[in-house]
Amino acid sequence: METIGEKTTTTAPPVAELHLHIEGTLQPELIFSLAERNGIDLPYQDIDELREKYEFRDLQSFLDLYYANMAVLQTEQDFTDMTCDYLKRAAAGGVRHAEIMMDPQAHVSRGVALETCVNGVAKALATSNEDFGVSTLLIAAFLRDMPEDSALDVLEQLLDMNAPIAGIGLDSAEVGNPPSKFQRLYQRAGEAGLRRIAHAGEEGPASYITEALDILHVERIDHGIRCMEDTEVVQRLVAEQVPLTVCPLSNVRLRAVDKLEDHPLPEMLAIGLNVSVNSDDPAYFGGYVDDNYQQLVKVHGFSVPEQATLAANSIRSSFASDERKAELLEEVTQWVKESLPPQ
Ligand SMILES: [Zn+2]
């Protein structure tokens, strides 16, 4: 769709992807080829049968399949191949910087060594800028439906092995697992100099956002869309410009919103929240970050300037160096010039 006259464009802007689970990039084709490589029997006959399961009722129904499919990830090479596949596709869609979450507990609990999953992903990230033009950071995400002591144990192992992680995150089943459950984990991460982010306000209430900020001292909120239910929380997020890494297609596919037309992102942008657009688990939710942008243009008529604001928010909210941020913000400026109709 090329509708420059309406100030929209088919190409998404250069962005930083800040909310991406690397295990959520496992495409069905790769699941089947890794299963064959590792001699793993899958409970599906073919890719079509697997894809039929991608109809989710809620976050948990997705997580059940997300964790089950990880069974094919056994060797360092498996993790490297998965990460390279994502970086190649993300780069094609305009991603220039990616801060990638991985769930180490989901792998060590399957008998995969911590070094295997960490080194496998890290090997792909080490040359991502040269290979794909994407600068990257790795974030260890911890499972909130497991005990805090399990997370603390894995974090200590990551620190002991000097794992190349920039920060920690908190994901998995949100309701009933409030951020306050992980106060010691986040205190330890802060003492170790790690950046801190957390999922909050996806299915959980706006109060989880407040807990993540005041008890875990996070710098970014993953999702955060349920802030819109609490005026005071919204006012604080606007005043403090707390980054919210929103995932529109994910919210539709996990039924956090009924359809994209109902998504609060346009209002969130309009009232001055510091929002970015991300793909979350693109292999499961029908699109990479550029597909999210294109759906937002199609359904909500996001203009070139609005897309540029979202892109600039993603870059400014990243943990990239100031030099890298300036470089990417200049690319967004150039994208706007190329996307707007000639004066
Ligand atoms: Zn997520």
Side-chain angles (χ1 to χ4, degrees):
M1 171 189 66
E2 189 75 30
T3 55
I4 293 295
E6 297 165 24
K7 294 186 182 175
T8 59
T9 173
T10 56
T11 55
V15 297
E17 174 134 63
L18 306 179
H19 185 155
L20 186 282
H21 303 264
I22 196 60
E23 299 93 339
T25 71
L26 259 180
Q27 289 288 353
E29 291 75 9
L30 186 58
I31 289 172
F32 271 81
S33 65
L34 292 183
E36 187 176 354
R37 179 156 89 184
N38 295 322
I40 291 170
D41 291 330
L42 292 172
Y44 339 100
Q45 287 303 312
D46 53 34
I47 287 176
D48 289 342
E49 187 183 337
L50 171 54
R51 282 196 186 280
E52 285 168 11
K53 300 186 180 300
Y54 286 26
E55 292 299 322
F56 306 113
R57 299 178 305 283
D58 54 17
L59 174 58
Q60 190 59 55
S61 62
F62 153 71
L63 291 170
D64 293 343
L65 185 62
Y66 170 76
Y67 291 128
N69 284 340
M70 288 183 198
V72 302
L73 294 168
Q74 294 293 326
T75 68
E76 264 192 40
Q77 192 61 49
D78 298 342
F79 287 89
T80 303
D81 291 350
M82 167 179 65
T83 308
C84 285
D85 278 7
Y86 162 71
L87 290 168
K88 184 177 180 183
R89 174 58 185 80
V95 174
R96 301 282 286 124
H97 177 76
E99 298 186 359
I100 292 169
M101 281 181 272
M102 179 182 68
D103 293 327
Q105 292 161 289
H107 307 303
V108 295
S109 65
R110 301 185 290 115
V112 173
L114 188 60
E115 290 74 8
T116 298
C117 60
V118 171
N119 295 345
V121 172
K123 182 180 177 187
L125 301 189
T127 56
S128 60
N129 213 3
E130 297 80 359
D131 296 341
F132 305 102
V134 183
S135 52
T136 52
L137 292 173
L138 178 57
I139 292 176
F142 291 95
L143 307 182
R144 63 199 312 159
D145 45 2
M146 290 186 69
E148 184 187 30
D149 284 342
S150 160
L152 278 163
D153 177 46
V154 170
L155 176 59
E156 286 306 332
Q157 291 179 56
L158 289 167
L159 295 173
D160 289 345
M161 66 184 275
N162 198 24
I165 59 172
I168 70 165
L170 188 66
D171 63 7
S172 206
E174 183 181 7
V175 177
N177 297 300
S180 52
K181 180 178 165 185
F182 295 90
Q183 185 273 330
R184 292 181 295 140
L185 176 71
Y186 275 69
Q187 181 176 349
R188 180 69 182 99
E191 289 164 357
L194 295 175
R195 311 307 289 263
R196 290 166 287 183
I197 65 175
H199 284 59
E202 175 184 19
E203 290 188 343
S207 62
Y208 280 21
I209 295 168
T210 304
E211 281 194 18
L213 293 172
D214 292 341
I215 298 173
L216 304 189
H217 305 296
V218 302
E219 297 169 75
R220 282 199 312 248
I221 295 289
D222 288 324
H223 289 301
I225 60 170
R226 290 194 60 183
C227 71
M228 298 301 279
E229 298 169 3
D230 186 317
T231 306
E232 279 188 27
V233 171
V234 167
Q235 288 170 347
R236 175 186 178 177
L237 294 173
V238 171
E240 297 176 12
Q241 283 297 285
V242 176
L244 306 178
T245 63
V246 180
C247 307
L249 293 181
S250 166
N251 296 147
V252 173
R253 294 297 295 274
L254 297 186
R255 319 307 300 141
V257 297
D258 187 36
K259 52 187 183 301
L260 193 57
E261 287 77 356
D262 302 330
H263 200 285
L265 184 64
E267 184 185 0
M268 295 172 83
L269 184 61
I271 62 179
L273 284 163
N274 180 2
V275 288
S276 60
V277 171
N278 304 269
S279 66
D280 204 4
D281 305 272
Y284 291 87
F285 301 149
Y288 288 77
V289 66
D290 52 309
D291 300 304
N292 275 267
Y293 270 87
Q294 288 187 4
Q295 283 299 306
L296 289 167
V297 168
K298 180 179 177 185
V299 170
H300 288 288
F302 273 26
S303 66
V304 166
E306 286 169 321
Q307 294 174 70
T309 299
L310 291 164
N313 286 349
S314 74
I315 293 162
R316 291 196 188 97
S317 303
S318 76
F319 298 141
S321 68
D322 289 344
E323 181 187 7
R324 180 64 173 159
K325 287 181 182 179
E327 189 179 310
L328 296 183
L329 288 171
E330 181 51 39
E331 290 186 14
V332 173
T333 302
Q334 191 53 37
W335 174 83
V336 171
K337 288 175 184 168
E338 292 165 0
S339 302
L340 284 174
Q343 298 301 325

